[in-house]
Every structure is written in C-alpha cells, then in structure tokens.
Amino acid sequence: MVTQAAKNEVHLEPGLKRTIRFRIKRCDGPGKPARWENFDVPVVSGEGVNVISCLQWIAEHPKTAEGADTTPVVWDSGCLEEVCGACTMVINGSVRQSCSCQLDNYAPLDGDTITLEPMSKFPVVRDLWVDRSRLFHNLKRLKAWAPIDGLHDLGAGPKEHTDDQHVRYKISECMSCGCCLEACPQFHQEENEENWDSSFIGANTIAQARLFNLHETGKQLAGDRLDTLAAAGGVSDCGNAQNCVKVCPKEIPLTEAIAAIGRATTIHRVRKFFRGK
Ligand code: SF4
Ligand code: SF4
Ligand code: FES
C-alpha cells in the first residue's frame, strides 16, 4: 500500500493498472457559465503518463464518469517538456504545467482524484485554455528586447561581465507561463484592455527588466523600462507577498529581481529630478 505521505517517493512497478478520477472545470467560451465534469481515466504505471496524456485520452473518450456524453475537453500545449508554458493550469489548487505533472508520482493510488481548473488571472477561451495576451502585452510595454537595427553584421558585441551573465542566464529561462501572476495577490484579471497599461505589470516582466537592463545592448532602453516601472502599475505596486517566487517552475529569483529593479527605479527617479526631466 502507498501512503499519502510517501507519494513523492513512490516507485510503482511498471504495468500496474489503476483508475484516476479527473474533476475538470469546464466553460464553453468567454462569458459562458462554468460547470464541473468528472472523468475516470485508466492509467498504466511506467508509461510516462502525465496530465496532458490523460486529457488526450478524455478527448478520445468524451463521456463523463457518470456515463453522459459530453464534448472533448479543450486545453493548450506546445512543447510537452516544460519549456513553452502554454499548458499551465491549476492542478489540485496549485498552478503548474500539466505536461510535467507525471501521474506515477503525482497520483500513484487507484482512485486518486485530480482537479483541473484554468488559471483565474487570464480570460478563459474554453475549458482549460486561457488567453495570456496581457502577459505578452506587458513585455511589449516594458520593451523587453535588445534593440538591434537590421540584420547586417554588427561585429562582436560588447563584452558581458561574468557576474551579470550568471544573473541574466537564470532570468532568461522564463517561459512566460503565468504561474507567478496566478499566485500574485496584486495581479488581477483585467478584461478591459484600456486598463492594461496602468495595472500591475507582474513579477515576470519586472524580472525581464533586470535581464535586459544588465545586457550591454539591451541597456540602451534601460531608462524607458525604468520609466514604465516607475509609473502606475509598476514595481511599487508589488506588495512583497513573495508568492511568485514560490511557484516559479524555473526557480527564477523573482523577489531578488524585484528588489534590484525597485532600487534602480528609485535612483532613476532621483536622477531625473535633479536633471529636471
Ligand atoms: S512579491 Fe510582488 S510580484 Fe511577487 S507575488 Fe508578491 S506582490 Fe506579486
Ligand atoms: S517568472 Fe517563472 S512563473 Fe513567472 S512567467 Fe516566468 S517562468 Fe513562469
Ligand atoms: S506544453 Fe510547453 S510547458 Fe507544457
């Protein structure tokens, strides 16, 4: 028998059959009411079954656990190896990627239940699929890129300091999944696009300011980024609850980045004050 406490240490013998109950929050489209449906999915241990492969099974067998015909559940995914962030959803109350949620470890017991919900901070497109446009809009709002004009050979770029490279490398692993935004009490769903530019920009975007402001080419836009982060919805809206850093699947030091950018923003403001512009 496998105890709940030992679940994370579980090593199931290959070929063992069990049934996992999925409780899925469904919604037919934007503005439509949500409902819950149950599905019983047969799983065989040792076959690398994850939440996505169970959703694929449900798509092939769209019948609820109670025997009613239904429509296939809709979700988003891309890489299937925790790189693109598209499959992010709320699993048993915690936000994470569904492709890397391996059932042999996560739900090793016959009859285990897994609850799936879409992220709550983004508009639902359908079922578990959400629209993360605001996240990408915020990266544009920040100018989260290194400005390079044209494709011609610019020669060797400026040298990067090794310490900066280490800081930047970790932040560069961000996959724009939205976990940090889902967990943040300061980031709220904002359906009116006119309010996006004054609403909290979020931990992931603030970290990208650190990434590009430390980059020898990217820092040409450092002042613009700090202006954005000094304005409404910028870094001062962070309440320092530190939920973001706890849920980031890439373990990006988000609170460290927020603190560094907070200091840089203050210095930027003071300099602007004395320069008079
Ligand atoms: S530290 Fe800031 S960004 Fe992170 S969860 Fe808290 S309020 Fe949100
Ligand atoms: S900072 Fe982490 S949690 Fe936030 S979007 Fe990037 S990878 Fe996801
Ligand atoms: S499908 Fe890309 S992170 Fe899960």
Side-chain angles (χ1 to χ4, degrees), residues 85 88 95 97 132 135 171 173-181 203-205 207-208 244-245 247-252 254:
T88 306
V95 68
Q97 282 67 55
R132 289 178 295 149
L135 188 159
I171 302 173
E173 290 184 297
C174 174
M175 55 180 167
S176 299
C177 65
C179 285
C180 55
L181 306 176
N204 64 315
T205 310
Q208 293 301 301
C244 50
V245 75
V247 299
C248 176
K250 298 300 179 189
E251 298 180 346
I252 294 169
L254 291 167

Side-chain angles (χ1 to χ4, degrees), residues 117-176:
E117 297 170 74
M119 283 194 282
S120 64
K121 302 292 176 76
F122 301 99
V124 172
V125 179
R126 186 165 178 156
D127 295 335
L128 302 168
W129 175 21
V130 297
D131 179 357
R132 289 178 295 149
S133 297
R134 182 172 158 209
L135 188 159
F136 300 109
H137 173 87
N138 281 343
L139 292 172
K140 284 189 236 166
R141 178 178 161 194
L142 184 84
K143 300 187 180 170
W145 57 76
I148 296 177
D149 190 11
L151 298 172
H152 54 288
D153 184 0
L154 296 171
K159 285 200 172 144
E160 302 276 337
H161 195 285
T162 321
D163 291 348
D164 291 346
Q165 282 178 349
H166 284 138
V167 173
R168 289 180 44 241
Y169 183 79
K170 195 64 204 151
I171 302 173
S172 75
E173 290 184 297
C174 174
M175 55 180 167
S176 299

Side-chain angles (χ1 to χ4, degrees), residues 224-242:
D224 290 356
R225 295 191 193 103
L226 295 176
D227 282 340
T228 299
L229 292 171
V235 69
S236 63
D237 279 18
C238 167
N240 201 26
Q242 310 205 356

Side-chain angles (χ1 to χ4, degrees), residues 12 14 23 48 61 72 77 84 114-115 141 150 157-158 198 213 272 274:
L12 294 177
R23 190 164 178 270
H61 308 85
S77 65
C84 74
I114 296 179
T115 302
R141 178 178 161 194
S198 55
N213 284 10
K272 277 185 86 169
F274 283 110

Side-chain angles (χ1 to χ4, degrees), residues 77-87 97 99 175:
S77 65
C79 67
L80 301 181
E81 52 183 0
E82 207 181 81
V83 173
C84 74
C87 69
Q97 282 67 55
C99 66
M175 55 180 167

